[in-house]
């Protein structure tokens, strides 16, 4: 019971009044010497003792199962959240009401839900049997992208004798979280603009070779380049041998999501198209996974870590994709913004080892020189350009793109 705080419906002054009534009726019976006057005294005394016993034992020995878990959904998905409570006491708590709040990321049945300014509050009937477990099945519907937890959980039930409500509030954070991923919105032109380039991924069909990674030799053939001749192997075999080099391709991507937008006066604000930006970034993550491309993702919102921005390290596969979706879901409008030029300042020492950079969001003038520098180093820099109904890729420094 250490995680619950109990508030009794009737305070000490009420019980002091009942005790005073017990004393007065008892003295009255003694003074008039009539046994009938002891009857109300006995009833008041039984009521007083019973109420005190119920106050002490009710709501004093029950436990909410609270394990860390995540319920992951897409907008529109439905799920069921099970709430388990064990009552170890012999005193039941019947005809009660369970109350809690969540953010507007998820919702439930309208008859148990009330809309507040920034959250939903819930009230549903709930009873705890003596020495048993009670399970509440709560239907959920994912409404919009985001992450939310349950807060302000409390259980209110009537006193069995005086019928005033007793409230117990849960003091510990409830660890179950509801994660609603963004909905991927298609970006046109991905296959048209993105081509493989020399790098670190090994493949059997790449036109590029790593001259520092020979994997064997073969007989020399007419037309083989002079620098590919393996002189030591040729000397041993007394015939010309050609190096067989490892073929490589760098198909990795860096996805940069700029959630900051400049106003006409030059001020910086959170982009009003934030949800669209995150949905397009979500689509690029899906596309990279489907094409087998390793990728990293960077979002210019401040985060209290070594790197003051959201950054997912380079990886690939379905697990990496799930981590991407979760990072996108955790972007909150309340986070502080990191201007894109400051982000590029942080990226400077780290550098980029991807040959394709995809920028989702605005490209202000302050980063154009950096983009040109990347392009001069052989990096393909593209921007997701948005109009009213669709989005498509185009070269980032194309006329009108900066």
């Amino acid at each position: 019971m250490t995680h619950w705080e109990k508030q009794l419906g009737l305070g000490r002054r009420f019980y002091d009044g009942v005790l005073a009534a017990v004393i007065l009726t008892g003295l009255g019976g003694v003074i008039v010497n009539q046994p009938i006057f002891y009857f109300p005294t006995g009833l008041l005394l039984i009521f007083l003792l019973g109420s005190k016993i119920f106050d002490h034992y009710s709501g004093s020995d029950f436990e909410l199962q609270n394990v860390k878990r995540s319920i992951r959904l897409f907008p529109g998905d439905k799920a069921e959240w099970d709430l388990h409570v064990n009552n170890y006491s012999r005193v039941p708590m019947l005809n009660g009401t369970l109350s809690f709040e969540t953010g507007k990321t998820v919702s439930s049945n309208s008859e148990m839900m009330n809309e507040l300014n920034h959250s939903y509050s819930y009230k549903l009937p709930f009873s705890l049997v003596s020495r048993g477990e009670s399970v509440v099945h709560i239907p959920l519907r994912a409404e919009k992208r985001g992450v939310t937890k349950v807060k302000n959980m409390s259980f209110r039930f009537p006193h069995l004798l005086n019928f005033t409500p007793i409230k117990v509030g849960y003091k510990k954070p409830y660890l179950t979280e509801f994660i609603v991923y963004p909905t991927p919105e298609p970006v046109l032109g991905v296959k048209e603009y993105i081509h493989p380039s020399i790098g670190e991924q090994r493949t059997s069909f790449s036109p590029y070779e790593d001259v520092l990674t020979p994997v064997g030799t073969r007989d020399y053939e007419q037309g083989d380049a002079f620098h590919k001749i393996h002189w030591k192997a040729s000397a041993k075999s007394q015939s010309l041998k050609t190096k067989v080099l490892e073929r490589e391709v760098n198909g990795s991507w860096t996805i940069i999501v700029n959630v900051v937008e400049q106003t006409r006066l030059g001020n910086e604000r959170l982009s009003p198209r934030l949800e669209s930006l995150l949905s397009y970034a979500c689509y690029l993550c899906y596309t990279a996974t489907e094409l087998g491309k390793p990728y990293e993702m960077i979002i210019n919102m401040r985060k209290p870590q070594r790197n003051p921005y959201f950054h997912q390290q380079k990886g690939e596969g379905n697990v990496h994709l799930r981590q991407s979706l979760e990072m996108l879901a955790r972007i909150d409008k309340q986070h502080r913004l990191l201007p894109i030029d400051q982000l590029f300042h942080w990226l400077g020492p780290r550098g980029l080892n991807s040959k394709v950079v995809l920028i989702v969001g605005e490209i202000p003038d302050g980063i154009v020189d950096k983009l040109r520098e990347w392009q001069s180093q052989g990096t393909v820099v593209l921007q997701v350009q948005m109009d009213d109904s669709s989005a498509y890729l185009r070269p980032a420094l194309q006329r009108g793109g900066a």
Side-chain angles (χ1 to χ4, degrees):
M1 190 60 191
T2 56
H3 302 316
W4 297 89
E5 182 179 10
K6 183 162 63 174
Q7 299 176 2
L8 300 177
L10 295 176
R12 181 177 177 179
R13 297 181 65 179
F14 172 80
Y15 287 118
D16 289 344
V18 175
L19 180 60
V22 170
I23 295 174
L24 290 175
T25 55
L27 288 176
V30 172
I31 292 172
V32 300
N33 198 21
Q34 292 292 329
I36 194 171
F37 280 90
Y38 295 118
F39 180 71
T41 302
L43 289 179
L44 289 173
L45 187 60
I46 292 173
F47 172 79
L48 179 64
L49 293 176
S51 296
K52 282 290 187 178
I53 292 172
F54 188 84
D55 287 346
H56 178 74
Y57 286 104
S58 64
S60 60
D61 195 13
F62 68 99
E63 179 184 22
L64 171 66
Q65 294 184 18
N66 187 9
V67 296
K68 188 174 183 179
R69 59 174 176 161
S70 299
I71 299 177
R72 298 176 171 86
L73 304 164
F74 282 95
D77 287 352
K78 294 182 179 180
E80 191 173 77
W81 166 42
D82 295 335
L83 194 68
H84 297 257
V85 183
N86 294 92
N87 184 18
Y88 301 110
S89 172
R90 293 183 177 180
V91 178
M93 290 166 280
L94 306 176
N95 300 320
T97 302
L98 180 69
S99 303
F100 56 89
E101 294 180 14
T102 69
K104 292 188 175 181
T105 300
V106 295
S107 65
S108 189
N109 295 338
S110 58
E111 60 267 18
M112 69 172 67
M113 187 180 71
N114 183 38
E115 184 174 1
L116 305 178
N117 288 335
H118 303 290
S119 62
Y120 291 128
S121 66
Y122 302 82
K123 290 185 178 180
L124 55 153
F126 187 59
S127 298
L128 283 175
V129 297
S130 60
R131 294 191 179 278
E133 179 185 22
S134 296
V135 182
V136 181
H137 305 284
I138 304 172
L140 293 175
R141 174 184 169 84
E143 295 294 337
K144 60 181 181 179
R145 181 201 63 83
V147 178
T148 187
K149 288 186 176 182
V150 173
K151 59 182 181 179
N152 298 332
M153 183 179 292
S154 63
F155 177 40
R156 186 188 298 264
F157 58 95
H159 196 291
L160 288 182
L161 295 179
N162 58 44
F163 304 109
T164 57
I166 296 176
K167 180 181 178 181
V168 286
Y170 195 60
K171 299 185 296 181
K172 187 179 179 182
Y174 189 65
L175 299 180
T176 297
E177 63 179 358
F178 309 100
I179 303 175
V180 181
Y181 295 148
T183 301
E185 295 291 341
V187 177
L188 306 177
V190 175
K191 295 181 180 179
E192 288 78 2
Y193 276 109
I194 300 178
H195 306 284
S197 59
I198 189 168
E200 296 180 352
Q201 282 184 272
R202 288 171 172 77
T203 176
S204 301
F205 306 103
S206 173
Y208 308 106
E209 296 174 324
D210 184 0
V211 296
L212 300 179
T213 314
V215 294
T217 60
R218 60 173 173 79
D219 291 335
Y220 176 84
E221 296 178 0
Q222 187 175 1
D224 286 347
F226 180 78
H227 69 274
K228 289 186 178 181
I229 297 176
H230 199 301
W231 296 107
K232 289 185 178 180
S234 299
K236 288 182 180 180
S237 63
Q238 300 298 313
S239 62
L240 286 177
K241 295 292 184 180
T242 299
K243 298 176 185 177
V244 177
L245 303 177
E246 185 73 75
R247 293 186 177 272
E248 296 184 340
V249 60
N250 184 349
S252 60
W253 299 359
T254 293
I255 302 171
I256 300 176
V257 185
N258 179 18
V259 299
V260 177
E261 187 174 281
Q262 288 188 333
T263 65
R264 293 181 179 180
L265 298 178
N267 299 320
E268 293 175 332
R269 63 174 182 177
L270 179 66
S271 174
R273 300 180 294 179
L274 174 66
E275 297 304 323
S276 295
L277 296 175
L278 299 181
S279 292
Y280 294 136
C282 176
Y283 177 84
L284 294 178
C285 295
Y286 267 103
T287 303
T289 303
E290 292 174 358
L291 297 177
K293 307 290 187 182
Y295 67 91
E296 64 178 338
M297 183 163 56
I298 302 168
I299 305 175
N300 61 328
M301 274 191 164
R302 292 189 180 273
K303 193 175 183 182
Q305 290 184 349
R306 183 179 178 182
N307 292 328
Y309 51 84
F310 283 82
H311 179 214
Q312 183 188 19
Q313 299 286 345
K314 186 176 296 184
E316 58 185 309
N318 291 329
V319 174
H320 189 69
L321 174 62
R322 190 184 70 182
Q323 294 169 351
S324 302
L325 298 180
E326 186 164 323
M327 187 173 84
L328 291 170
R330 293 187 183 279
I331 296 299
D332 194 310
K333 294 181 179 180
Q334 304 304 317
H335 289 145
R336 293 177 57 200
L337 302 177
L338 179 67
I340 192 69
D341 54 342
Q342 294 185 29
L343 172 67
F344 275 42
H345 174 74
W346 280 92
L347 290 177
R350 186 180 72 88
L352 294 176
N353 57 2
S354 299
K355 290 300 181 181
V356 175
V357 175
L358 305 172
I359 300 177
V360 185
E362 282 192 350
I363 298 179
D365 294 338
I367 66 170
V368 170
D369 290 341
K370 188 64 177 179
L371 299 185
R372 288 194 177 120
E373 178 186 336
W374 287 349
Q375 284 190 341
S376 66
Q377 297 169 353
T379 301
V380 178
V381 184
L382 303 171
Q383 180 192 15
V384 176
Q385 181 68 24
M386 294 179 286
D387 55 28
D388 294 336
S389 59
S390 62
Y392 54 92
L393 277 182
R394 70 174 183 182
L397 298 181
Q398 180 176 301
R399 184 179 180 86

